Amino acid sequence: MKETKGGQPMWIVIVTGIGCLFGFLLFRKNALPSPGGHEPDGRNVSVIVPARNEEENLPHLLESLKAQTVQGFEVIVVNDFSEDRTREIAERYGAKVIDNSVLPDGWTGKNWAVWNGYARATGDVFVFLDADIRLAPTALASLLLARERSNGVVSVVPYHRTEKLYEKLALVFNMLGVFAFTSIFERSNPRKGLYGSCIVALREDYEKINGHESVKSEVLDDLFLGSKFAEAGIPVVNSIGCGSVEFRMYPQGVRSEIEGFSKGAVLSTSTLSPRTIASVAAWLVGLLISESVFVFAWLRPEWAWPLAAGYALYTAQLLVLMRYVGSFGLVVPLLHPVASLFFLGVMAYSLYQVAVVGHVRWKGRNVRVGGAQDR
């Protein structure tokens, strides 16, 4: 093992330094364009929102839709067998509410809900939004402009607005999400995925790939939907939502946060470029090695300074990049090993669900991996 003159291993400096560099390589500030005085191209717009027990989130989304600078669009909320006030709230805001029908064999719940929303939509442009999305007043105009410029389909990785401490544990997950969808290596990936919380597509493009029916059995419908668009020769563009599109992912509690992230933690790498996966792995290895300072500073004092330097480097990077990723305060970024432990725990749980149990749990349903319907 190569060591410095003081007996401090040089490999720690090299690995953490290279890992941190990969983080800057992966991150791209692909923000949505400012609409300025641009007027949308006149196409009719349908906003489609699948909603299952979303009484906490829906008021924020629907209120933000009412405040958009672009008006005249229809809002369709698909009530997916909710047991709370989802339907009542959607109707109160004037949305067209559709009660989802019984789930057919071979479909997953969200895909079926979105497909039923599409079946009732009248627009030429579809804006698919999760119920936890919140939009700035110019966000819809920016989304429509981004789609026009791309001449394809656009998705957005929202800025994560957190409030409670457990929500801030999502730091590593959210960083990796931005890395995966803005990676320079994904630009030429023929299987590039979409981020499902916010997708904008032309009706003709959506129908060309047979929409969500083409991915009806997939747990991670958004990733495979992006691949379908790409295979059909339709450009796929992913942006970050900082300043325009944000969400509060799991206000219902830490259990829903664990379920939500574990649902796709293992499977989410399936459509990524190998170069993106290798770069993310290098960043993660450097991060975890730097965080071992709290162990090896006592066991191997000669490693303390190299590890501390790596820890400081990663902490600085997280503080810089999180401004575009989410509101994580200072405690969790400064003590990022806590977020890393949460990440590793959820990854282990996700692997257990996929490899041993054969299904993942989400919103009261068991969603089987590999194409069977959920209940």
Side-chain angles (χ1 to χ4, degrees):
M1 182 185 295
K2 214 173 205 180
E3 296 191 351
T4 63
K5 288 182 181 179
Q8 297 162 354
M10 181 61 76
W11 69 269
I12 292 176
V13 178
I14 294 172
V15 172
T16 55
I18 290 176
C20 199
L21 285 175
F22 270 110
F24 286 116
L25 176 66
L26 286 164
F27 178 79
R28 287 292 178 271
K29 189 183 175 184
N30 298 336
L32 289 170
S34 171
H38 176 80
E39 291 292 330
D41 61 7
R43 300 176 193 259
N44 293 327
V45 176
S46 294
V47 177
I48 300 172
V49 183
R52 180 174 170 85
N53 296 328
E54 295 287 2
E55 66 178 7
E56 291 186 51
N57 284 318
L58 265 183
H60 299 286
L61 170 60
L62 298 177
E63 193 68 47
S64 71
L65 284 169
K66 289 181 66 175
Q68 292 303 297
T69 56
V70 173
Q71 288 295 316
F73 53 90
E74 70 173 350
V75 179
I76 298 173
V77 175
V78 184
N79 179 32
D80 189 15
F81 296 95
S82 298
E83 298 171 343
D84 61 4
R85 297 185 305 123
T86 290
R87 165 176 268 280
E88 175 189 332
I89 290 169
E91 289 176 334
R92 191 171 74 215
Y93 279 91
K96 181 192 295 185
V97 182
I98 300 168
D99 285 322
N100 207 17
S101 55
V102 176
L103 188 68
D105 288 342
W107 285 79
T108 61
K110 180 181 176 181
N111 289 335
W112 180 238
V114 173
W115 186 249
N116 277 285
Y118 148 72
R120 298 283 293 276
T122 62
D124 307 306
V125 181
F126 299 142
V127 181
F128 301 105
L129 299 177
D130 282 357
D132 56 5
I133 291 289
R134 306 173 186 188
L135 302 174
T138 60
L140 187 54
S142 292
L143 288 167
L144 296 175
L145 176 58
R147 199 227 56 82
E148 287 179 36
R149 289 183 177 178
S150 74
N151 198 31
V153 58
V154 170
S155 81
V156 176
V157 184
Y159 180 87
H160 188 188
R161 180 68 61 188
T162 68
E163 294 182 14
K164 298 179 180 178
L165 181 60
Y166 76 84
E167 296 174 78
K168 300 180 191 299
L169 295 176
L171 174 63
V172 173
F173 276 110
N174 288 146
M175 289 297 302
L176 294 180
V178 171
F179 286 166
F181 284 92
T182 66
S183 166
I184 191 172
F185 304 123
E186 293 305 302
R187 293 178 183 175
S188 58
N189 181 3
R191 302 183 66 221
K192 184 192 299 187
L194 291 165
Y195 200 91
S197 294
C198 178
I199 298 174
V200 186
L202 286 181
R203 172 188 284 272
E204 60 195 77
D205 291 339
Y206 184 76
E207 292 178 344
K208 184 177 181 179
I209 66 164
N210 205 26
H212 281 76
E213 186 173 29
S214 67
V215 294
K216 63 183 181 181
S217 64
E218 300 293 346
V219 176
L220 301 179
D221 54 284
D222 47 357
L223 296 183
F224 293 97
L225 194 68
S227 297
K228 296 291 184 181
F229 279 112
E231 289 169 8
I234 299 165
V236 174
V237 175
N238 294 312
S239 300
I240 61 172
C242 180
S244 296
V245 181
E246 64 181 41
F247 55 11
R248 186 177 173 206
M249 297 184 75
Y250 304 112
Q252 300 90 350
V254 69
R255 179 177 177 178
S256 67
E257 183 174 32
I258 293 171
E259 283 188 354
F261 282 124
S262 66
K263 174 168 62 77
V266 170
L267 299 174
S268 59
T269 60
S270 55
T271 63
L272 291 176
S273 159
R275 290 182 294 174
T276 297
I277 295 172
S279 300
V280 167
W283 183 82
L284 270 174
V285 167
L287 175 71
L288 296 174
I289 287 175
S290 77
E291 292 171 344
S292 69
V293 64
F294 293 102
V295 176
F296 289 106
W298 305 102
L299 299 178
R300 298 289 296 272
E302 69 274 16
W303 291 16
W305 283 111
L307 288 171
Y311 188 90
L313 192 61
Y314 267 95
T315 300
Q317 183 180 64
L318 290 171
L319 289 171
V320 170
L321 297 186
M322 76 177 194
R323 294 181 300 170
Y324 306 100
V325 177
S327 57
F328 298 100
L330 285 176
V331 174
V332 171
L334 290 175
L335 298 177
H336 49 82
V338 179
S340 294
L341 287 172
F342 178 76
F343 166 78
L344 293 173
V346 172
M347 287 295 292
Y349 178 55
S350 179
L351 183 61
Y352 167 74
Q353 290 185 98
V354 170
V356 179
V357 179
H359 66 251
V360 294
R361 183 76 176 168
W362 180 234
K363 291 191 179 267
R365 286 171 167 154
N366 291 327
V367 185
R368 293 193 182 181
V369 177
Q373 77 176 56
D374 52 349
R375 298 292 180 185

